[in-house]
Amino acid sequence: MIETNHFDVIVIGGSYAGLSAGMALGRSLRSVLIIDSGKPCNQTAPHSHNFITQDGEPPAAIAQKAKDQVLVYPTVQFVADTVQSAQKEENLFRIRTGTNVEFTATKLLFATGIRDLIPDLPGFADCWGISVIHCPYCHGYEVHGTALGILGNGEVGFEFAKLISQWTPHLTLFTNGPSTLNAEQTQKLQQHHIAIIEEELDHLEHTAGKLEQVIFKNGTKQAVSAIFARVAFQQHCAIPQDLGCELTENGYLKIDHFNQTTVAGVYAAGDNTSPMRAVSEATAAGTKAGASINKALIQESF
């Protein structure tokens, strides 16, 4: 039961960045409402890695433990809901949730993440986060030394192949159509024994999300244990833009050193602001945002 409708800070998005900010603000004795819909972008990943003290833990378990710890602080409250709209009224923000409840706050923090735009390749969505993966630092060790693939082309495909070559000598770049690599890039990949296959992909063959083979439209196939891919994305929540927050040229919310967006009083942290998609990065960003918001509140009242 939410006992008040006004808070110092409303945090929209209660995953790692949002919960981390909530802890920093709760420990600063700020009244905080965290609103979350329970749909984190890493919900398909069975394990989280490269986060010291939590290596190998399921992402949901980390988030639940964090939530339990954050809600120990009596000034922090949590509601399972979505935010449908937000308006700025002088020095106050007014939001309305999906259940038609209205809350106000002095500051807003968007920790709403991004939404991956999954390509229309049969099997891709089933394997996403399990054996079709985006980050070698999060998942590369578990498949190191095995037959791996890169789904990409041109400059992006070249740079990704160069990166993933650290984890395996058995690497193939699937360009999914004619290669757009230049001659120098092609030669460099060949020198490092990275195969380039230009055949179009038909589907990914897998069992419960664990990739087994890439099937091409010409009927040929190739066994792989995992594919690394970088997919397009969009902001998971459009409300910051409705408020006037600017995006970077790459589609992330533009923030300053203190995590404030281009709209005064509106802050952002986590995957919606940075390509560094990792639980540890989001957690650190949330802590910084929480501290920055608290300092801003002090400055305004002192």
Side-chain angles (χ1 to χ4, degrees):
M1 177 69 70
I2 305 299
E3 298 176 353
T4 179
N5 283 72
H6 180 75
F7 297 85
D8 292 326
V9 186
I10 292 177
V11 178
I12 302 169
S15 195
Y16 314 104
L19 289 169
S20 182
M23 178 171 282
L25 289 161
R27 291 181 59 82
S28 302
L29 310 178
R30 295 296 181 182
S31 62
V32 182
L33 176 64
I34 302 173
I35 303 174
D36 184 68
S37 63
K39 297 178 181 178
C41 67
N42 66 350
Q43 59 188 323
T44 61
H47 303 285
S48 176
H49 292 285
N50 210 33
F51 184 11
I52 195 166
T53 76
Q54 301 296 322
D55 192 46
E57 288 294 314
I62 299 173
Q64 185 60 55
K65 184 175 181 180
K67 180 180 174 183
D68 292 342
Q69 292 181 349
V70 170
L71 294 183
V72 166
Y73 295 93
T75 60
V76 181
Q77 298 187 65
F78 186 100
V79 62
D81 207 339
T82 58
V83 174
Q84 297 299 307
S85 64
Q87 294 179 315
K88 186 174 184 180
E89 301 174 358
E90 296 182 354
N91 295 321
L92 187 75
F93 292 95
R94 188 177 303 278
I95 71 158
R96 186 167 294 278
T97 72
T99 56
N100 204 33
V101 180
E102 190 173 273
F103 297 103
T104 59
T106 307
K107 305 289 183 187
L108 292 184
L109 170 63
F110 285 91
T112 42
I114 58 174
R115 177 185 290 112
D116 293 310
L117 302 178
I118 303 301
D120 187 21
L121 174 64
F124 192 104
D126 298 316
C127 297
W128 183 239
I130 302 171
S131 59
V132 176
I133 44 189
H134 75 285
C135 175
Y137 299 102
C138 298
H139 306 290
Y141 185 84
E142 283 62 46
V143 293
H144 80 279
T146 66
L148 301 179
I150 303 291
L151 183 56
N153 209 345
E155 183 71 20
V156 173
F158 173 75
E159 290 297 331
F160 210 6
K162 184 165 67 172
L163 174 64
I164 302 304
S165 68
Q166 170 63 23
W167 277 265
T168 187
H170 314 294
L171 186 59
T172 300
L173 175 63
F174 302 111
T175 60
N176 196 25
S179 170
T180 56
L181 298 163
N182 62 37
E184 182 181 354
Q185 291 168 336
T186 300
Q187 183 181 34
K188 181 67 75 171
L189 293 180
Q190 291 171 341
Q191 286 175 351
H192 287 269
H193 308 290
I194 298 172
I196 302 168
I197 294 183
E198 300 181 56
E199 293 292 339
E200 288 189 46
L201 279 65
D202 183 76
H203 67 278
L204 304 181
E205 197 170 88
H206 65 94
T207 298
K210 293 186 177 180
L211 191 57
E212 295 166 352
Q213 296 186 108
V214 173
I215 312 298
F216 300 98
K217 287 189 175 180
N218 66 0
T220 61
K221 58 185 69 175
Q222 180 168 329
V224 288
S225 60
I227 284 179
F228 285 85
R230 287 181 173 149
V231 301
F233 72 91
Q234 63 186 21
Q235 288 289 323
H236 196 267
C237 177
I239 294 173
Q241 293 162 263
D242 293 340
L243 289 168
C245 298
E246 295 179 20
L247 299 180
T248 69
E249 61 180 10
N250 294 318
Y252 297 101
L253 284 170
K254 187 181 293 186
I255 56 172
D256 65 14
H257 184 68
F258 301 101
N259 286 80
Q260 182 164 259
T261 68
T262 54
V263 174
V266 180
Y267 294 74
D271 292 353
N272 56 359
T273 68
S274 169
M276 296 297 291
R277 295 178 62 179
V279 174
S280 56
E281 288 279 347
T283 302
T287 298
K288 182 180 177 182
S292 296
I293 292 170
N294 181 60
K295 183 174 181 180
L297 289 167
I298 291 172
Q299 290 287 94
E300 292 168 7
S301 64
F302 195 79

